[in-house]
């Protein structure tokens, strides 16, 4: 699905990623954990195509294409989805208008016909139930006046609507109470197939109680320094990141 | 509305040049250029006007010649040479059309290009159109249906001939000749326009619509509109403008007067898309318009405007809230791009008790343009319990454009409540990125964001206008983020 090789990236001349390697296959769930400042959100931003980062070395293959050659919207249309850590408000634009525009842009890109209003509304009903999102929120302006939990659920709702190949969840668990966390996790689990993949970026282990990852990676100082199964998350929770830092020094 | 035009937009966005920049090849009857008493007499005689109207014009000319062009607006332009303008141009057709089939095919083609073919209008929208092409009305529809209700909707010239008592009674009562330089000029040389009268207690069953269009090169256009809503009546009036592409500047100085008698309501909506000049600021229309309405007791006037065109705009649709409990509203979206300049806003003059006014202004500036809101809220000393709410928002699309707000408040009654809110923001890179991450192209993202920003105003427009306005906003701002 995605292969990242020796990725180096910097912002305003300051190196953040320093030789990151990661391979994610279809059907897999990967968790990327790490202390603050390790480069977790930088990785998410670079995959989505934020322009303020400079890629100084490395390559990213996304389903046979050079990801770094694609524009932000091309990546999205090819099936890369980012659930934002801080979802953006767009006053006056309804969630449904926003999503219908997005869906039809993606369909047009694939050479498919625009989705009919009827089909679209059925999809909205179906997918909003998945994340227990009040159907009223679907017709409200994008994220405007949403609570923190509603914004995060809205991200997963959008993900469900757009049905991406690769979803990257950037700190989706931050600011969620246990109930919201369960709902979000439940949504992600239900969307999982053997055709798609998920990268969960998180600081804490608790989301991984609900979404069981196939792999857990520790990102530290711009590189993945440790990879193991789901038990690694528990170990990190217990020992903290200092343990990794010490290990790395040793 | 939610799912409006996305696909159509894509088509239109491919064509960045001004869509309506074509010239119809129709013989026109143009009088010599210049402005003097003889010209005014000639216009009046060509239109077979009564003596009182000629006197009205001559008086206006005299007043105008003593006045100076206003210079307080935040706009810069080369003053028009008023002696280099032809003040009258009419399509060369002496006989009136008996039916739609008689209309010159060339003219029909023009209307088709404008997207307002009569047949379509009649069949699909139920809008009665009074199409003004180069100063003379060529077609009016739905007249009979309106006639049954006693509604008069015709060209200004026809009204002068057929309803002189109404014209004489109300013309110039809201905007007197000496009101300002351009109003005086209009009063002297106006060639045509629209007239509408809604009788007592009648609710006009359809949106009344007029399309203005400058066509012959080098001719100014001086339209005059008079809308009278008699006691307890209601009318919604739509006005839309497009103009062909020209390199020389063209002057448009219209006058619109609205009269809402007791318990009457007038809703006046405008989508203005005059040629704005090219991306280097060459050419474009000068739009110097005076629009004002007066409200008697319990009456209401609501102005809604979407301004995307013109090189220079100078326009303040206003309300005189004379009667107690009367209501004035102003909803505006003004877009400027490239080198466009707009100085627009409203005046709410509170004279009566318990009068209420609302002002919602959304300015969008892009390119190197200058966009100013200028508004006056005036509470007179007998206007007890007057209320005003103003909200002026500015959205900046580039780092080289300007947004300015000039709110004036004059309050002479201590029981008044006046609220003013203003915001200025730059279009969010984060919003654009968010849209693009969902697969939406930059152009569509701008369209979504801008239309969302203007929603409060667009919601005031009748449906068919709202769709057109949304498209216009997106087209006007194509490729403008920087």
């Amino acid at each position: 699905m995605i292969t990242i090789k020796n990725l180096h990236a910097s912002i305003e001349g300051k190196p953040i990623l320093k030789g990151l390697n990661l391979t994610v296959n279809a059907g897999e769930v990967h968790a990327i954990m790490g202390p603050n400042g390790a480069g977790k959100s930088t990785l998410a931003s670079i995959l989505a195509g934020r322009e303020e980062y400079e890629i100084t070395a490395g390559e990213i293959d996304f389903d046979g294409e050079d990801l770094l050659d694609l524009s932000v919207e091309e990546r999205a249309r090819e099936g890369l989805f980012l659930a934002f850590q801080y979802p953006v408000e767009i006053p006056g634009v309804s969630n449904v208008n926003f999503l219908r525009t997005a869906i039809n842009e993606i369909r047009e890109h694939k050479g498919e016909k625009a989705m009919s209003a009827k089909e679209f509304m059925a999809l909205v009903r179906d997918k909003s139930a998945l994340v227990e999102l009040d159907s009223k929120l679907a017709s409200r302006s994008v994220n405007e006046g949403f609570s923190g939990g509603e914004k995060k659920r809205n991200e997963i709702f959008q993900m469900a609507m757009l049905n991406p190949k690769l979803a990257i969840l950037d700190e989706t668990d931050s600011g969620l109470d246990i109930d919201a966390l369960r709902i979000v996790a439940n949504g992600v689990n239900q969307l999982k197939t053997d055709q798609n993949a998920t990268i969960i970026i998180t600081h804490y282990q608790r989301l991984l109680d609900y979404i069981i990852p196939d792999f857990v990676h520790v990102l530290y100082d711009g590189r993945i320094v440790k990879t193991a199964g789901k038990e690694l998350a528990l170990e990190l929770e217990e020992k903290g990141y200092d343990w990794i830092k010490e290990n790395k020094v040793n | 509305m939610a799912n409006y035009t996305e696909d159509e937009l894509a088509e239109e966005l491919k064509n960045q040049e001004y869509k309506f920049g074509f010239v119809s090849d129709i013989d026109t009857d143009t009088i010599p250029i210049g402005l003097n008493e003889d010209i005014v007499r000639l216009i009046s005689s060509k239109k077979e006007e009564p003596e009182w109207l000629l006197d009205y014009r001559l008086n206006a000319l005299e007043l105008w010649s003593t006045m100076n062009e206003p210079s307080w607006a935040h706009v810069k332009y080369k003053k028009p040479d008023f002696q280099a303008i032809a003040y009258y141009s009419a399509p060369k057709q002496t006989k009136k059309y008996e039916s739609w089939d008689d209309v010159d095919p060339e003219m029909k083609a023009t209307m088709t290009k404008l997207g307002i073919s009569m047949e379509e209008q009649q069949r699909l929208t139920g809008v009665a159109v009074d199409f003004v092409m180069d100063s003379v009305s060529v077609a009016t529809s739905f007249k009979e249906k309106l006639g049954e209700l006693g509604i008069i909707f015709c060209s200004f010239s026809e009204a002068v001939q057929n309803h002189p008592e109404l014209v004489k009674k109300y013309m110039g009562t809201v905007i007197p000749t000496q009101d300002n330089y351009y109003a005086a000029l209009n009063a002297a040389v106006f060639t045509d326009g629209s007239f509408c009268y809604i009788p007592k207690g009648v609710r006009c069953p359809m949106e009344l619509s007029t399309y203005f269009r400058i066509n012959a090169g080098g001719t100014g256009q001086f339209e005059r509109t008079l809308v009278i809503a008699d006691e307890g009546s209601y009318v919604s009036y739509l006005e839309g403008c497009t103009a062909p592409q020209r390199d020389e500047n063209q002057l448009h100085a219209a006058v619109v007067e609205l009269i809402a008698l007791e318990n009457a309501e007038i809703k006046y909506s405008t989508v203005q898309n005059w040629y704005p000049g090219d991306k280097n600021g060459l050419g474009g229309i000068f739009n110097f318009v005076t629009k004002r309405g007066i409200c008697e007791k319990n009456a209401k006037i609501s102005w809604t405007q979407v301004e995307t065109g013109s090189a220079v705009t100078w326009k303040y649709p206003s309300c005189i809230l004379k009667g107690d409990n009367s209501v004035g509203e102003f909803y505006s979206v003004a877009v400027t791009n490239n080198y466009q300049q707009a100085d627009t806003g409203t005046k709410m003059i509170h004279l009566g008790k318990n009068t209420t006014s609302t002002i919602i202004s959304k300015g969008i500036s892009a390119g190197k343009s200058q966009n100013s809101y200028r508004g006056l809220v005036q509470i007179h000393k007998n206007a007890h319990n007057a209320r005003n709410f103003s909200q002026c928002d500015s959205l900046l699309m580039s780092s080289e454009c300007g947004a300015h707000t000039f709110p004036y408040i004059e309050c002479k009654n201590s029981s008044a409540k006046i609220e003013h809110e203003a915001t200025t923001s730059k279009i969010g890179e984060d919003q654009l990125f968010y849209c693009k991450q969902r697969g939406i192209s930059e152009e569509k993202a701008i369209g979504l964001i801008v239309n969302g920003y203007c929603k409060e105003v667009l919601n005031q427009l009748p449906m068919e206008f709202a769709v057109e306005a949304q498209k216009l906003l997106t087209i006007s701002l194509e490729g403008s983020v920087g």
Side-chain angles (χ1 to χ4, degrees):
Chain A
M1 176 77 67
I2 192 162
T3 309
I4 303 170
K5 279 188 196 156
N6 190 33
L7 184 65
H8 286 72
S10 57
I11 185 162
E12 290 167 356
K14 187 185 167 213
I16 308 284
L17 298 184
K18 304 167 183 173
L20 186 141
N21 293 292
L22 178 68
T23 300
V24 176
N25 297 308
E28 293 176 351
V29 176
H30 290 241
I32 296 180
M33 302 182 72
N36 289 330
K40 301 191 299 290
S41 285
T42 297
L43 176 63
S45 296
I46 287 171
L47 292 178
R50 271 217 193 258
E51 279 165 10
E52 51 266 43
Y53 295 93
E54 193 194 346
I55 313 293
T56 49
E59 52 192 75
I60 305 174
D61 177 280
F62 179 52
D63 233 12
E65 284 194 82
D66 182 352
L67 187 78
L68 298 175
D69 265 1
L70 302 178
S71 68
V72 178
E73 55 269 37
E74 282 165 343
R75 296 175 194 200
R77 293 169 192 166
E78 287 293 328
L80 186 147
F81 180 91
L82 174 65
F84 284 61
Q85 184 176 0
Y86 303 108
V88 179
E89 298 185 4
I90 311 178
V93 179
S94 69
N95 245 333
V96 284
N97 191 16
F98 177 72
L99 277 170
R100 189 152 188 239
T101 306
I103 282 178
N104 285 336
E105 290 260 276
I106 292 167
R107 289 173 78 114
E108 193 186 330
H109 174 75
K110 292 178 178 166
E112 296 169 7
K113 274 199 319 206
M115 189 180 275
S116 74
K118 195 179 160 194
E119 207 182 334
F120 176 78
M121 289 319 292
L123 195 64
V124 167
R125 267 196 302 279
D126 191 28
K127 301 300 182 186
S128 55
L130 192 69
V131 286
E132 300 177 33
L133 191 72
D134 188 336
S135 59
K136 273 185 235 140
L137 289 185
S139 50
R140 289 224 325 246
S141 294
V142 179
N143 293 322
E144 196 187 26
F146 286 28
S147 70
E150 284 170 339
K151 283 182 181 173
K152 294 298 177 75
R153 271 193 277 167
N154 194 28
E155 292 294 289
I156 306 305
F157 167 62
Q158 293 184 23
M159 173 179 153
M161 290 292 291
L162 300 178
N163 190 25
K165 281 194 281 200
L166 175 66
I168 302 155
L169 276 52
D170 187 8
E171 306 266 4
T172 296
D173 51 341
S174 68
L176 289 188
D177 61 27
I178 285 295
D179 289 335
L181 196 66
R182 183 185 49 75
I183 292 166
V184 163
N186 189 32
V188 173
N189 286 334
Q190 289 197 46
L191 293 170
K192 187 184 165 185
T193 71
D194 58 2
Q195 302 295 312
N196 62 25
T198 309
I199 298 175
I200 296 166
I201 291 173
T202 181
H203 189 76
Y204 300 104
Q205 183 270 338
R206 59 177 197 159
L207 180 62
L208 306 179
D209 286 343
Y210 300 94
I211 305 173
I212 310 299
D214 299 298
F215 298 95
V216 175
H217 309 275
V218 178
L219 179 59
Y220 177 69
D221 194 23
R223 269 185 291 177
I224 286 176
V225 294
K226 195 170 177 63
T227 296
K230 62 184 181 202
E231 65 285 353
L232 178 58
L234 293 167
E235 205 174 345
L236 284 168
E237 185 79 354
E238 195 186 316
K239 298 183 180 171
Y241 290 109
D242 288 345
W243 161 67
I244 294 287
K245 292 178 194 171
E246 282 159 26
N247 265 15
K248 197 184 171 241
V249 175
N250 299 340
Chain B
M1 191 85 309
N3 49 28
Y4 61 108
T5 54
E6 263 84 32
D7 296 323
E8 295 158 63
L9 269 179
E11 270 309 300
E12 295 194 30
L13 285 170
K14 285 178 193 158
N15 180 11
Q16 291 185 41
E17 287 297 306
Y18 185 69
K19 188 181 160 201
F20 300 124
F22 53 85
V23 179
S24 298
D25 188 15
I26 300 172
D27 273 350
T28 52
D29 172 11
T30 305
I31 63 174
I33 60 165
L35 180 54
N36 53 47
E37 195 180 314
D38 291 343
I39 295 288
V40 171
R41 284 181 186 280
L42 186 57
I43 293 170
S44 191
S45 77
K46 269 188 181 288
K47 302 186 76 65
E48 298 163 25
E49 286 176 352
E51 191 69 25
W52 65 266
L53 194 49
L54 174 62
D55 291 344
Y56 187 94
R57 288 176 181 278
L58 291 173
N59 175 50
L61 179 68
E62 200 183 319
L63 284 166
W64 177 75
S65 62
T66 65
M67 295 169 87
N68 291 316
E69 229 179 320
S71 57
W72 42 261
H74 189 76
V75 294
K76 287 193 188 109
Y77 57 93
K78 192 170 171 290
K79 305 277 181 234
D81 178 357
F82 294 97
Q83 297 303 336
I85 295 171
Y87 286 87
Y88 183 78
S89 135
K92 235 181 212 163
Q93 274 284 355
T94 43
K95 78 167 196 269
K96 293 268 176 192
Y97 302 107
E98 295 300 324
S99 78
W100 180 239
D101 295 338
D102 297 339
V103 176
D104 183 351
E106 179 86 17
M107 202 171 275
K108 282 186 189 173
T110 298
M111 290 195 249
T112 307
K113 273 192 229 172
L114 282 168
I116 53 161
S117 96
M118 277 311 213
E119 301 96 317
E120 285 296 292
Q121 288 278 344
Q122 290 176 347
R123 196 165 53 84
L124 296 175
T125 63
V127 174
V129 174
D130 177 16
F131 186 85
V132 178
M133 183 163 188
D134 271 25
S135 323
V136 169
S137 299
V138 292
T140 304
S141 57
F142 281 108
K143 233 173 194 170
E144 278 179 30
K145 195 171 170 189
L146 295 173
E148 285 167 20
L149 291 164
I151 294 170
I152 304 164
F153 180 44
C154 62
S155 72
F156 202 91
S157 310
E158 281 177 277
V160 168
Q161 301 300 332
N162 302 331
H163 309 281
E165 70 296 341
L166 283 172
V167 177
K168 201 172 173 181
K169 182 173 175 189
Y170 289 108
M171 180 184 174
T173 57
V174 191
I175 303 172
T177 299
Q178 68 275 17
D179 187 81
N180 68 69
Y181 189 78
Y182 294 107
L185 178 64
N186 178 289
V189 300
F190 73 91
T191 42
D192 212 334
S194 293
F195 177 87
C196 173
Y197 171 80
I198 315 293
K200 272 184 198 174
V202 170
R203 196 178 165 85
C204 184
M206 61 186 79
E207 316 275 355
L208 298 183
S209 177
T210 306
Y211 287 81
F212 295 101
R213 181 173 171 78
I214 295 177
N215 197 31
T219 60
Q221 190 160 4
F222 303 92
E223 301 291 340
R224 193 148 188 126
T225 299
L226 181 56
V227 178
I228 303 152
D230 211 330
E231 292 171 18
S233 69
Y234 167 84
V235 63
S236 170
Y237 191 96
L238 315 183
E239 170 203 35
C241 312
T242 59
Q245 189 157 352
R246 292 266 166 222
D247 279 340
E248 69 208 271
N249 287 305
Q250 287 186 304
L251 178 64
H252 182 75
V255 166
V256 176
E257 293 181 287
L258 308 185
I259 291 141
L261 299 178
E262 269 190 45
N263 297 307
E265 179 177 349
I266 302 175
K267 197 171 157 57
Y268 194 102
S269 311
T270 306
V271 172
Q272 186 267 118
N273 184 27
W274 297 109
Y275 178 53
D278 68 13
K279 63 180 190 301
N280 299 313
L282 189 65
I285 303 295
F286 290 175
N287 194 24
F288 303 134
V289 185
T290 309
K291 291 183 166 179
R292 195 176 304 154
I294 190 163
C295 288
E296 298 292 343
K297 198 173 165 190
N298 301 327
K300 177 177 174 182
I301 289 179
S302 183
W303 296 100
T304 305
Q305 60 172 19
V306 174
E307 303 275 320
T308 62
S310 298
V312 182
T313 300
W314 180 97
K315 182 179 173 188
Y316 316 91
S318 302
C319 297
I320 301 171
L321 303 172
K322 182 180 163 207
D324 292 350
N325 314 315
S326 59
V327 177
E329 294 176 340
F330 175 74
Y331 299 95
S332 170
V333 172
V335 180
T336 53
N337 198 355
N338 300 318
Y339 286 89
Q340 280 178 276
Q341 306 173 72
D343 194 298
T344 185
T346 185
K347 287 189 273 188
M348 292 292 175
I349 313 292
H350 292 254
L351 300 175
K353 296 182 184 67
N354 305 315
T355 46
T356 310
S357 62
T358 304
I359 299 171
I360 308 285
S361 166
K362 304 274 183 179
I364 302 167
S365 334
K368 296 180 172 156
S369 67
Q370 296 293 328
N371 201 327
S372 304
Y373 167 80
R374 186 182 302 276
L376 169 67
V377 176
Q378 199 177 56
I379 315 281
H380 283 251
K381 75 172 187 297
N382 295 326
H384 298 289
N385 299 315
R387 275 183 297 151
N388 163 264
F389 174 76
S390 302
Q391 184 186 330
C392 305
D393 297 330
S394 304
L395 185 66
L396 303 171
M397 307 287 286
S398 78
S399 46
E400 291 177 282
C401 58
H404 314 270
T405 306
F406 304 98
Y408 302 89
I409 295 172
E410 294 170 14
C411 183
K412 291 186 179 142
N413 186 306
S414 59
S415 65
K417 279 195 191 132
I418 302 172
E419 289 174 73
H420 182 92
E421 290 177 10
T423 65
T424 300
S425 50
K426 188 154 193 294
I427 191 161
E429 288 297 328
D430 284 346
Q431 288 176 332
L432 284 175
F433 181 75
Y434 191 70
C435 292
K436 288 198 255 182
Q437 209 300 308
R438 298 300 184 246
I440 301 170
S441 66
E442 177 153 308
E443 282 79 8
K444 280 190 188 174
I446 291 170
L448 277 176
I449 294 166
V450 166
N451 279 306
Y453 167 77
C454 300
K455 197 172 198 175
E456 279 170 284
V457 176
L458 297 175
N459 280 349
Q460 297 294 326
L461 291 172
M463 184 66 133
E464 62 271 34
F465 247 30
V467 173
E468 188 181 330
Q470 286 180 326
K471 289 192 216 175
L472 266 181
L473 289 182
T474 306
I475 293 166
S476 308
L477 291 167
E478 222 261 295
S480 60
V481 172

